[in-house]
Amino acid sequence: MSYETDKANILAFFDNHIIRYVVSDLEALNSIEADETGAGGCSIPQASATFSALDLMGYLMHPQDISPMKMSFSDLLNNEKYFPEFKQYSIQANFFNSFKDNLRSFMVHRFSITKYDITKTSDTNLFTEMDTRQIFNTSYFTKITINAINKIYNEIKEDKFLINGFSKKITLGKVNEKIKMLKGFDKNYVPLIDLPISSVSTQTTCSLK
């Protein structure tokens, strides 16, 4: 495909899926206020949704051909261009393993966390410490993720987006191929049959068409 065709397909995916749904949902979740102690406010669903957005962006930006199901946000968070906020943490040994296992994976699969507490505050630190517990600020995490997504989106529109030293054409070709893989992914999918038909016309979050 030509550069312009790849660009048009990628921007359509961003417009119709990432910006319209992913970013909008993150903004809606972040607008829910926690209580005066920083608890509640859909903090765990918000953090889970933010990690899902990171997995998607990390997959699209990965220089290698990886499975759509592979968890792949570490390379993206290590990219100072988009996430300078993580530099101070990523230099610590085993930080990303702990970040994925003790925070992301346990929270997403068990709706709980082990080694961290979680809060929603206006503070501009990802982590703070209180009474020997490390506290993860999901509000700031969501904000910097939205900023990174918007930066990537704008770079694509302005013909400035590059991956790992590839040319612009190769970069967009790789991203477009990953979107095709994402849309065509089928792991033992069996369609449901004889579902009840709704009599109500409604707006829905669309699948990846």
Side-chain angles (χ1 to χ4, degrees), residues 69-142:
M69 293 299 291
K70 183 176 181 180
M71 202 166 70
S72 52
F73 60 74
S74 295
D75 285 341
L76 179 56
L77 292 182
N78 262 316
N79 191 325
E80 294 181 34
K81 182 178 182 181
Y82 302 113
F83 285 95
E85 301 86 358
F86 271 84
K87 182 179 180 180
Q88 60 182 309
Y89 307 109
S90 61
I91 60 176
Q92 299 183 36
N94 297 320
F95 166 76
F96 279 115
N97 287 336
S98 176
F99 192 61
K100 290 188 294 184
D101 296 338
N102 295 320
L103 203 158
R104 187 267 192 202
S105 294
F106 203 86
M107 177 178 58
V108 169
H109 296 295
R110 298 292 181 268
F111 209 78
S112 180
I113 41 184
T114 55
K115 304 300 181 183
Y116 299 89
D117 289 335
I118 191 167
T119 189
K120 293 180 70 170
T121 74
S122 59
D123 190 17
T124 55
N125 289 313
L126 275 169
F127 299 96
T128 54
E129 190 169 333
M130 183 173 65
D131 299 329
T132 72
R133 291 289 294 178
Q134 293 186 331
I135 303 170
F136 174 65
N137 182 1
T138 191
S139 290
Y140 189 56
F141 181 51
T142 298

Side-chain angles (χ1 to χ4, degrees), residues 2 11 15 38 41 44 53 70 85 95 102 107-108 110 119 123 141 146 165 169 174 176 180 188 206:
S2 70
L11 288 178
D15 289 335
I44 288 181
K70 183 176 181 180
E85 301 86 358
F95 166 76
N102 295 320
M107 177 178 58
V108 169
R110 298 292 181 268
T119 189
D123 190 17
F141 181 51
I146 291 173
K169 179 176 174 54
K174 284 181 172 291
N176 195 30
K180 289 180 183 179
N188 303 318
C206 65

Side-chain angles (χ1 to χ4, degrees), residues 1-206:
M1 287 189 182
S2 70
Y3 176 85
E4 291 302 326
T5 300
D6 285 335
K7 178 180 177 181
N9 290 341
I10 294 167
L11 288 178
F13 179 75
F14 267 77
D15 289 335
N16 298 325
H17 185 71
I18 296 177
I19 302 301
R20 185 179 181 188
Y21 289 113
V22 175
V23 171
S24 294
D25 286 352
L26 292 181
E27 290 173 339
L29 285 166
N30 201 41
S31 70
I32 303 172
E33 296 184 0
D35 64 22
E36 63 277 1
T37 68
C42 286
S43 57
I44 288 181
Q46 178 176 327
S48 297
T50 305
F51 275 115
S52 293
L54 276 178
D55 275 338
L56 172 59
M57 299 306 297
Y59 161 74
L60 293 178
M61 294 184 63
H62 204 286
Q64 300 174 0
D65 296 330
I66 60 175
S67 167
M69 293 299 291
K70 183 176 181 180
M71 202 166 70
S72 52
F73 60 74
S74 295
D75 285 341
L76 179 56
L77 292 182
N78 262 316
N79 191 325
E80 294 181 34
K81 182 178 182 181
Y82 302 113
F83 285 95
E85 301 86 358
F86 271 84
K87 182 179 180 180
Q88 60 182 309
Y89 307 109
S90 61
I91 60 176
Q92 299 183 36
N94 297 320
F95 166 76
F96 279 115
N97 287 336
S98 176
F99 192 61
K100 290 188 294 184
D101 296 338
N102 295 320
L103 203 158
R104 187 267 192 202
S105 294
F106 203 86
M107 177 178 58
V108 169
H109 296 295
R110 298 292 181 268
F111 209 78
S112 180
I113 41 184
T114 55
K115 304 300 181 183
Y116 299 89
D117 289 335
I118 191 167
T119 189
K120 293 180 70 170
T121 74
S122 59
D123 190 17
T124 55
N125 289 313
L126 275 169
F127 299 96
T128 54
E129 190 169 333
M130 183 173 65
D131 299 329
T132 72
R133 291 289 294 178
Q134 293 186 331
I135 303 170
F136 174 65
N137 182 1
T138 191
S139 290
Y140 189 56
F141 181 51
T142 298
K143 289 177 183 176
I144 64 176
T145 298
I146 291 173
N147 287 340
I149 291 173
N150 285 329
K151 185 169 186 178
I152 294 167
Y153 177 56
N154 289 329
E155 285 185 351
I156 295 170
K157 289 196 294 184
E158 297 168 3
D159 298 313
K160 297 178 180 178
F161 182 59
L162 297 172
I163 292 177
N164 202 33
F166 291 117
S167 69
K168 291 188 294 184
K169 179 176 174 54
I170 293 176
T171 291
L172 292 199
K174 284 181 172 291
V175 174
N176 195 30
E177 284 301 312
K178 284 193 170 71
I179 291 172
K180 289 180 183 179
M181 290 174 60
L182 190 66
K183 291 179 178 180
F185 183 76
D186 181 349
K187 187 176 183 180
N188 303 318
Y189 170 71
V190 179
L192 303 176
I193 59 175
D194 297 327
L195 296 176
I197 299 174
S198 174
S199 60
V200 178
S201 178
T202 183
Q203 296 293 321
T204 67
T205 300
C206 65

